[in-house]
Amino acid sequence: MEKWPIGVFTSIDAGLGVKLEVAHELHVPTIQLHAPAPQTRTAQHANAFLARLKDLQITLTAVFGGFEGESYADIPTVSRTVGLVPRATRAARTQEMKEIADFARLLHCDVVALHLGFITHDRASGDYAEIVAVTRDLCDHCQRNGQDLHLETGQETAAGLLQFLEDVQRGNLFVNFDPANMILYGTGEPIDALRQVGAYVHSVHCKDATWAARPGEEWGAEVPLGQGAVGMENYLRTLHELGYTGPLTIEREIPQEPARQKAEISHAINLLAQLRTKILAV
Ligand code: MG
């Protein structure tokens, strides 16, 4: 595969990504996929989806886990509902995440990713140790499938995430870096964060955002690529310095406005293609 192929975050019947048809219409060569609903995660559906990907000449680069009951309404709601951290759903979601990894294997996909949720910063707490153990268990399941596990960034500071990765101690645990999330959650300046966790970054989102008036207490705003505070040229130059060669996966989560979503993704593709030419030419 060429360096930095453009990608887009897609969905079949769950999650906030665009439909596969949109990726095709925009001539995007790679996708990440939000895991479909449980009833769709069958061998039959996997084979049908694989045939469509082959037909459209699209490469699947990662399958993202997501769960019923998750809400990104505001930061406290994320903390309460997202990922494997909420205790009431932890065991069931860990099991479901393994099933999602198995479905990804049916799609011949060797990367599985998710938001773990808000991990406590108190390394001495029992809860921290339990999340480390759950993550090891999930990594080991993925290892048996020949897969890597990527953690989406944003809910921790870069230093907190680095500490967590080192505590889990698994060779197939990496990072899906999302610069906009650092701004949305108010967890740190994204380029500094990228440099800190750079050795672990094996996939990325291209997304942009503006800071909240009170970062960390309220959401920043997701905006079209190039119009936020990330600084796309600086972002791509830093990825280049770090030796990142994987897909540039555009994520734009406004499924309630499909026409605008498609137009903004089209614009994002043009921006990334221009920057890619500029940066890789020298
Ligand atoms: Mg993201």
Side-chain angles (χ1 to χ4, degrees), residues 45-208:
H45 278 108
N47 287 334
F49 190 70
L50 273 178
R52 287 184 70 208
L53 288 176
K54 190 175 175 202
D55 190 40
L56 301 177
Q57 295 180 288
I58 290 174
T59 302
L60 174 63
T61 63
V63 174
F64 268 71
F67 309 101
E68 194 72 33
E70 290 186 317
S71 168
Y72 290 84
D74 53 39
I75 291 176
T77 307
V78 171
S79 180
R80 207 173 59 246
T81 68
V82 167
L84 304 183
V85 170
R87 186 175 285 279
T89 49
R90 186 181 297 163
R93 285 180 175 180
T94 302
Q95 177 56 34
E96 184 170 4
M97 196 61 212
K98 291 178 183 175
E99 291 164 13
I100 289 169
D102 294 346
F103 180 72
R105 187 177 62 166
L106 294 177
L107 295 174
H108 309 153
C109 187
D110 58 8
V111 176
V112 180
L114 84 161
H115 275 290
L116 270 186
F118 277 94
I119 303 163
T120 173
H121 295 296
D122 179 6
R123 291 176 73 213
S125 75
D127 208 47
Y128 185 87
E130 285 178 34
I131 297 296
V132 167
V134 158
T135 308
R136 283 179 179 159
D137 180 33
L138 194 52
C139 283
D140 294 344
H141 185 89
C142 290
Q143 184 70 50
R144 290 190 286 275
N145 280 348
Q147 295 164 324
D148 290 344
L149 182 69
H150 293 190
L151 301 182
E152 172 96 352
T153 55
Q155 290 153 358
E156 287 74 42
T157 61
L161 181 60
L162 207 51
Q163 184 67 67
F164 181 76
L165 293 165
E166 285 166 7
D167 286 340
V168 174
Q169 290 183 308
R170 286 296 183 272
N172 64 331
L173 182 62
F174 297 102
V175 164
N176 182 85
F177 191 83
D178 186 326
N181 282 352
M182 307 304 298
I183 295 172
L184 290 168
Y185 289 94
T187 40
E189 202 286 315
I191 306 302
D192 289 346
L194 175 58
R195 289 188 191 283
Q196 285 186 64
V197 299
Y200 287 95
V201 173
H202 278 206
S203 59
V204 302
H205 284 162
C206 292
K207 191 169 88 181
D208 215 340

Side-chain angles (χ1 to χ4, degrees), residues 17-46:
V18 296
K19 299 290 173 210
L20 192 58
E21 289 72 19
V22 176
H24 174 58
E25 285 159 20
L26 296 175
H27 307 290
V28 174
T30 77
I31 58 163
Q32 293 182 344
L33 177 70
H34 186 104
Q39 64 273 18
T40 311
R41 296 198 298 259
T42 64
Q44 194 182 358
H45 278 108

Side-chain angles (χ1 to χ4, degrees), residues 6 206 224-225 250 263-273:
I6 306 290
C206 292
L225 205 72
I250 298 161
E264 288 187 4
I265 289 170
S266 177
H267 181 267
I269 291 167
N270 291 336
L271 176 65
L272 292 176

